[in-house]
Amino acid sequence: TEVLDLTINPTSSNTTTESACDSYTWAVNGQTYTTSGVYTVTNGCATEVLDLTITPLSENTITEVACGSYIWSVDGLTYNETGIYTVINGCSTEVLDLTINPVPTAPEVVNNGNELVATADPNYLGVWVDCISQQPVGNPPMPAQYTPTTTGLYTYVSLDPTTFCFTPGNCVEFEVAGIDEIALHMNIYPNPTNANFVIETSVPGNVEISDLNGKLLKSFQTEIGKISVSIDGLTNGTYLVNFKSIQTTETVRLVVSGY
């Protein structure tokens, strides 16, 4: 007599997919894995499968020095204080070691008719700057009073000589008496104008037309003689026509009105 007492257990398989930084401990067998791979544990008819991706930890530190504030490209945030800031993205850590230097208070510039006067902070150096060319008209330190020799827009800039942080003041127009009469190499007519106008020059040069805020609107080269200029793009108002040649640099105010 042959007797079979048989128990059939169904086979089973379970797959777990995991991603981890540096290492992973699998609860099924308690083992710690440090490399990516597919791992299997069989217990009777049950099979456990671990599909594991291991990404190594990384850390990157940058050191920055800024005036007033700093925008970190990693998170797009603006930071206004010195400190160490951290952003963790998955297994990657970005560290910002930031130093924020204070900026001077913006000077206030006024035109009293005879000269330009600015509020100067004695803790900083000051320099006068041409708002159109963005170039200083002298070397710091310059006094808080300035009498320009040419008509234009000027501002006063406060500069920290230690950190080189600076803050410009407001741009103010200053007109030198008789500037239109002494501009011997360029003549503009009609002025004011409500249509095209003529620029007549006695030497070749470059003409730039800008508004009173220093925004460049037109730029072109001229030869000796007359050239007609369109007012397209110019609304009613006052503009600065700057003429630069080897011999001279001249500025004339152009008034557009009545159209």
Side-chain angles (χ1 to χ4, degrees), residues 22-256:
D22 259 7
S23 65
Y24 178 78
T25 300
W26 195 13
V28 170
N29 59 4
Q31 290 191 16
T32 299
Y33 299 91
T34 58
T35 57
S36 299
V38 178
Y39 302 94
T40 302
V41 170
T42 302
N43 186 10
C45 298
T47 300
E48 293 288 336
V49 179
L50 173 64
D51 186 356
L52 179 63
T53 301
I54 294 293
T55 302
L57 289 171
S58 64
E59 181 175 302
N60 178 51
T61 299
I62 62 170
T63 301
E64 294 287 348
V65 178
C67 298
S69 64
Y70 178 79
I71 300 176
W72 194 12
S73 60
V74 170
D75 57 8
L77 297 179
T78 300
Y79 296 88
N80 301 308
E81 297 181 357
T82 297
I84 297 178
Y85 303 94
T86 302
V87 170
I88 299 176
N89 185 11
C91 301
S92 176
T93 300
E94 295 288 336
V95 179
L96 172 64
D97 186 355
L98 179 63
T99 300
I100 295 293
N101 292 318
V103 295
T105 301
E108 181 180 356
V109 183
V110 296
N111 184 347
N112 65 13
N114 298 317
E115 62 180 359
L116 299 177
V117 180
T119 54
D121 189 329
N123 297 314
Y124 300 103
L125 300 181
V127 61
W128 289 94
V129 173
D130 186 316
C131 293
I132 297 176
S133 68
Q134 298 294 306
Q135 296 298 315
V137 296
N139 296 318
M142 294 182 69
Q145 297 80 31
Y146 175 61
T147 302
T149 57
T150 59
T151 294
L153 290 172
Y154 299 91
T155 187
Y156 192 70
V157 176
S158 288
L159 170 69
D160 188 326
T162 303
T163 64
F164 298 102
C165 293
F166 64 91
T167 304
N170 54 302
C171 288
V172 174
E173 182 184 11
F174 188 88
E175 181 179 0
V176 176
I179 185 66
D180 292 340
E181 288 74 22
I182 65 173
L184 302 178
H185 297 87
M186 178 178 66
N187 185 29
I188 295 178
Y189 58 89
N191 188 11
T193 181
N194 59 3
N196 293 355
F197 60 95
V198 173
I199 295 180
E200 184 176 5
T201 58
S202 59
V203 292
N206 183 71
V207 174
E208 293 182 348
I209 302 176
S210 59
D211 60 21
L212 295 182
N213 292 321
K215 181 181 179 181
L216 181 63
L217 304 175
K218 294 177 182 286
S219 179
F220 49 87
Q221 295 288 329
T222 64
E223 300 298 330
I224 298 175
K226 302 176 182 179
I227 182 172
S228 178
V229 181
S230 170
I231 62 172
D232 289 345
L234 304 181
T235 59
N236 291 342
T238 301
Y239 299 89
L240 298 178
V241 181
N242 301 295
F243 176 68
K244 295 181 180 180
S245 67
I246 297 177
Q247 295 90 340
T248 184
T249 297
E250 300 165 2
T251 300
V252 175
R253 291 200 305 171
L254 171 69
V255 178
V256 176

